[in-house]
Amino acid sequence: MFPTVLKECCARRNRLLAAARAVLIILAGTYSHDFDQLKLFYHYMDRNSEEGTDIRVITNIQFENIKGARVLMIPELNGVSEEVYQKYFFKSGWYDEAFVHGTFEGSVYGNITTGNSRLLTAEDFIFCKGFAISGHVHKAGCFQGFYYYCGCPYRWKFGEEEAKGFLIVVHDLDTQIHYTSFEEISSFRYDTIYVDELISEDPKVICDYINNKRITEGIDYIKVKFRTQVPGQSKTIINNYYRNNPTTFVEYLSVDEIAKDKQKLEAFEDSKYSYLVDNSISDLERFVRYINENEGEGFITVSQLNDLLNSEI
C-alpha cells in the first residue's frame, strides 16, 4: 500500500512541477537525519527530460543556474577544508542567491554546528547579491537582513511552539530587490503548561483542568510541569492516571532543581530588569522602559509608542 501511495504522490508532484515549469532542489541535510536517503531520489534526475521536470539533488558545494539566477548551493558538509569554502565564498565571483543547510552565526545558542561542519557568517556571503535561504534551524527567522531560515515545516516535539510553515521569496534579478512571505502550515500542537497554583487541590481537579485545557484548546500533545513540590499521594495518583496516556506527559522538578529555579528567579527579581515580571505595570510600559534603558532615557514615551502603533502606515 505504502509504495503505491508514494508512487502516486511522486507522480502528482512531477505533474505540478511540469505545469509550473518549476525547479525542485533537494539539498543534503544533517547526516544523522538524512542518512544517505537522498539516493532514493537520484533516479528522478535521470527521468527529468522524459517527464518535463527539473529535479536536482545537491550533495556537494557548487553553483547552479536556475532560470537565469546563479545560485550557490551549500549542503551540510563535514570535514571540508577551508580552502574549498574560500574558493566558493571569495574566489568565484558574484552570484544572485544561496541555498544552504547549516548553522549561521547567531542562529543558535553558542553557535553550535553539527559534526565537523563550518559555522557560516555574514562575511562569507559578501559576493551574494540577493539572499540566502537555509535549512537546519527548526525555527523560522531572518539574520543580518538577508539570511533566512524557513524552519521545520511541521511540529513534532515539545519546545517548538512557534508557527511552522514555508517561505515564498520573490526576487527581481535586475534590481536584486527581494520580498519574502512566511506561509503558515497547520501542525500538531505541543504545548507545555505549568499548574503550580493547583498543587493544593484534589488530584481529580488537577487532572480535570489538564484534560479540559487540552480538549477545549485543541492541543494534540500536552506536557505538564510542576515547579514546586507535589504531595506524595497526589503525585502517585496523577502519575497513575497519565501513565499510559499517549497525549499527556507529566514532569516534576527535583528538590535541587526547584531550589535552583528559585535562586534564578530571586536573582532576576533583584536585577535591573525585575520590572519585566512586574504585573503592576502594563506591557507597553515594560517595553518603553526596556527601550529607554538601551537607547537612552527619554528616547520614547508610552504615549508616543501608542501614537506609532495606532498611526496608519
Side-chain angles (χ1 to χ4, degrees):
M1 179 65 181
F2 178 72
T4 302
V5 172
L6 181 61
K7 185 177 180 180
E8 290 175 354
C9 289
C10 290
R12 182 171 182 271
R13 177 208 58 202
N14 288 351
R15 289 195 297 271
L16 291 172
L17 286 173
R21 292 184 296 172
V23 181
L24 175 62
I25 303 295
I26 304 175
L27 206 67
T30 305
Y31 183 75
S32 60
H33 297 172
D34 286 359
F35 207 65
D36 279 342
Q37 292 181 79
L38 291 189
K39 292 177 181 177
L40 298 173
F41 298 94
Y42 285 173
H43 70 285
Y44 287 112
M45 299 171 68
D46 298 331
R47 293 161 51 188
N48 284 349
S49 57
E50 301 174 19
E51 301 185 358
T53 57
D54 188 349
I55 302 173
R56 312 179 196 183
V57 179
I58 308 298
T59 57
N60 293 298
I61 184 169
Q62 62 195 67
F63 286 102
E64 290 284 318
N65 188 287
I66 303 175
K67 296 184 179 296
R70 189 176 190 231
V71 184
L72 176 59
M73 303 285 184
I74 311 175
E76 186 78 27
L77 300 171
N78 293 318
V80 176
S81 71
E82 182 60 24
E83 291 182 4
V84 173
Y85 284 109
Q86 292 291 318
K87 171 188 174 182
Y88 285 93
F89 283 144
F90 306 116
K91 299 177 182 178
S92 297
W94 296 95
Y95 55 95
D96 299 291
E97 306 163 0
F99 297 164
V100 191
H101 188 283
T103 305
F104 188 77
E105 186 175 31
S107 63
V108 297
Y109 180 76
N111 288 326
I112 298 172
T113 60
T114 57
N116 295 316
S117 59
R118 184 183 187 279
L119 178 68
L120 304 170
T121 68
E123 184 183 13
D124 294 331
F125 296 90
I126 59 174
F127 284 99
C128 180
K129 295 187 286 185
F131 58 87
I133 292 184
S134 182
H136 183 53
V137 174
H138 288 196
K139 185 176 182 179
C142 180
F143 297 86
Q144 298 292 328
F146 79 97
Y147 195 101
Y148 298 88
Y149 279 104
C150 53
C152 181
Y154 61 90
R155 193 176 297 104
W156 59 280
K157 68 177 183 178
F158 291 103
E160 295 197 358
E161 288 77 14
E162 67 277 353
K164 298 297 182 181
F166 59 93
L167 280 174
I168 293 179
V169 184
V170 179
H171 188 193
D172 187 323
L173 295 178
D174 294 324
T175 64
Q176 291 302 335
I177 293 174
H178 71 274
Y179 170 79
T180 62
S181 175
F182 179 76
E183 304 297 317
E184 189 171 351
I185 297 174
S186 296
S187 187
F188 289 114
R189 278 186 62 177
Y190 284 77
D191 285 21
T192 300
I193 66 170
Y194 300 90
V195 291
D196 300 307
E197 71 279 2
L198 298 177
I199 283 179
S200 61
E201 299 284 352
D202 185 283
K204 185 179 183 305
V205 173
I206 297 175
C207 293
D208 285 346
Y209 172 82
I210 295 168
N211 296 339
N212 184 65
K213 186 174 183 66
R214 190 183 72 78
I215 294 170
T216 58
E217 296 187 17
I219 302 171
D220 298 288
Y221 301 95
I222 190 167
K223 180 184 288 184
V224 185
K225 282 190 174 184
F226 292 94
R227 293 173 293 189
T228 54
Q229 284 184 282
V230 180
Q233 186 176 3
S234 294
K235 187 174 181 179
T236 300
I237 294 172
I238 295 170
N239 281 341
N240 288 337
Y241 183 81
Y242 289 114
R243 187 180 303 279
N244 297 313
N245 190 314
T247 64
T248 307
F249 307 85
V250 183
E251 288 187 0
Y252 306 90
L253 293 183
S254 66
V255 175
D256 288 342
E257 289 173 325
I258 292 172
K260 287 179 181 177
D261 273 9
K262 185 178 180 181
Q263 289 175 355
K264 289 178 182 177
L265 181 60
E266 289 174 348
F268 184 77
E269 289 174 343
D270 291 336
S271 73
K272 68 175 185 176
Y273 294 115
S274 59
Y275 62 86
L276 292 175
V277 292
D278 184 357
N279 292 324
S280 66
I281 61 176
S282 69
D283 291 339
L284 279 181
E285 288 175 303
R286 292 193 194 98
F287 186 56
V288 165
R289 183 168 172 180
Y290 180 79
I291 292 175
N292 288 334
E293 285 190 354
N294 287 273
E295 299 294 337
E297 194 62 37
F299 182 80
I300 194 171
T301 66
V302 173
S303 176
Q304 289 171 331
L305 180 58
N306 255 320
D307 290 342
L308 285 173
L309 294 174
N310 295 322
S311 63
E312 295 185 3
I313 299 175

